[in-house]
């Protein structure tokens, strides 16, 4: 994709266009992690990183998870929304991502925490971002995945926006400096298009 133009969006940060819907879409995250039941697409480099630390992952897996590394991932496929141009999906044995344990916890996150590292050090970026995603070069709402989940954002009362709910994740994705640029764009957008006062 040409990183200087987008058919729908004008604002670009770090080579990613911003869908301003993320500033207004109401969301509630109240469930126990159903989003992990479908697995995730990792970038080829993330997939290789995970395989390279397999010896640290395997001892943390429980009886509902597969220890055979060859069964952790699907076949790679081309996808321009991934940095390397190749996506590799995680398998879903026993109806959940291969890295989700019987208590609903991500083994990759458990490993990072047990090492005293940042909790998302080994976690695929699309896991961190959900319910946001990057689609066709734009940061947007993963409404397709939200719609197919039974509990995700189905709470009748939605008191926050997806943007506010995902601030920590957005800072992780963009970095502190670029996040300020995103915050400024949000304020501009809301005051210009929604009449909402700047926070
Ligand atoms: S890698 Fe971890 S966070 Fe991502 S879908 Fe699997 S269990 Fe969930
Ligand atoms: S993002 Fe959705 S599916 Fe995941 S934990 Fe929150 S409400 Fe549940």
């Amino acid at each position: 994709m040409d990183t200087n133009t987008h058919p729908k969006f004008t604002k670009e940060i770090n080579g990613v266009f911003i869908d301003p819907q993320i500033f207004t879409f109401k969301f509630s995250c109240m469930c126990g992690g159903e989003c992990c039941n479908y697995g995730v697409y990792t970038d080829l480099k993330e997939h290789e990183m995970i395989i390279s630390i397999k010896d640290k992952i395997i001892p943390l897996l429980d009886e509902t998870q597969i220890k055979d590394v060859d069964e952790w991932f699907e076949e790679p496929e081309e996808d321009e929304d991934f940095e390397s141009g190749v996506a590799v999906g995680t398998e879903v044995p026993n109806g959940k991502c291969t890295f989700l344990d019987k208590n609903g916890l991500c083994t990759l996150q458990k490993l990072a925490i047990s090492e005293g590292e940042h909790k998302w050090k080994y976690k695929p970026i699309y896991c961190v971002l959900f319910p946001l995603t990057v689609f066709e070069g734009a940061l947007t709402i993963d409404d397709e995945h939200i719609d197919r989940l039974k509990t995700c954002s189905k709470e009748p009362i939605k008191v926050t926006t997806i943007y506010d709910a995902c601030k920590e994740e957005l800072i992780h994705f963009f970095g502190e400096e670029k996040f300020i640029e995103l915050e400024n764009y949000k304020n501009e957008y809301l005051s210009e298009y929604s009449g909402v006062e700047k926070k």
Side-chain angles (χ1 to χ4, degrees):
M1 167 170 295
D2 182 346
T3 54
N4 295 316
T5 58
H6 192 281
K8 283 165 78 180
F9 310 123
T10 53
K11 179 67 179 175
E12 180 190 356
I13 300 176
N14 266 5
V16 177
F17 285 87
I18 309 298
D19 175 357
Q21 264 200 100
I22 68 170
F23 304 134
T24 53
F25 186 91
K26 293 285 186 189
F27 185 76
S28 64
C29 177
M30 304 289 284
C31 92
E34 188 193 358
C35 41
C36 292
N37 290 351
Y38 294 78
V40 68
Y41 281 104
T42 67
D43 183 86
L44 182 63
K45 286 183 194 161
E46 292 175 321
H47 160 265
E48 288 168 351
M49 178 276 293
I50 291 168
I51 296 294
S52 76
I53 57 168
K54 65 182 188 317
D55 292 340
K56 297 195 290 186
I57 296 171
I58 290 170
L60 298 180
L61 301 176
D62 63 35
E63 67 276 13
T64 69
Q65 296 174 279
I66 307 289
K67 293 192 169 58
D68 182 350
V69 178
D70 293 339
E71 294 185 28
W72 285 0
F73 290 93
E74 300 171 343
E75 288 300 310
E77 51 190 273
E78 286 184 16
D79 192 323
E80 287 304 312
D81 280 323
F82 289 78
E83 201 183 336
S84 65
V86 176
V88 192
T90 61
E91 291 284 5
V92 284
N94 298 317
K96 58 187 177 64
C97 173
T98 199
F99 298 111
L100 195 69
D101 75 10
K102 62 183 177 186
N103 299 315
L105 299 175
C106 173
T107 308
L108 304 177
Q109 183 156 327
K110 278 197 311 189
L111 173 62
I113 291 169
S114 73
E115 293 179 335
E117 299 285 354
H118 188 281
K119 61 184 175 182
W120 295 331
K121 180 178 181 183
Y122 303 127
K123 210 165 179 175
I125 193 63
Y126 279 84
C127 299
V128 175
L129 280 178
F130 184 78
L132 295 169
T133 191
V134 177
F135 179 66
E136 295 183 343
L139 178 72
T140 186
I141 298 156
D142 194 350
D143 44 11
E144 207 176 286
H145 193 31
I146 291 173
D147 284 351
R148 73 175 168 173
L149 297 175
K150 294 181 187 68
T151 52
C152 189
S153 202
K154 303 295 187 289
E155 284 286 311
I157 300 168
K158 297 174 187 168
V159 290
T160 188
T161 62
I162 208 164
Y163 177 82
D164 286 331
C166 296
K167 269 196 177 159
E168 185 185 4
E169 289 79 359
L170 288 166
I171 290 169
H172 180 78
F173 182 63
F174 283 113
E176 295 275 356
E177 200 177 311
K178 292 292 178 182
F179 176 75
I180 291 170
E181 197 178 331
L182 182 66
E183 183 80 356
N184 290 339
Y185 176 53
K186 179 201 77 167
N187 288 334
E188 278 167 33
Y189 177 82
L190 291 182
S191 59
E192 188 172 347
Y193 293 99
S194 308
V196 176
E197 285 186 17
K198 293 179 186 181
K199 282 206 249 178

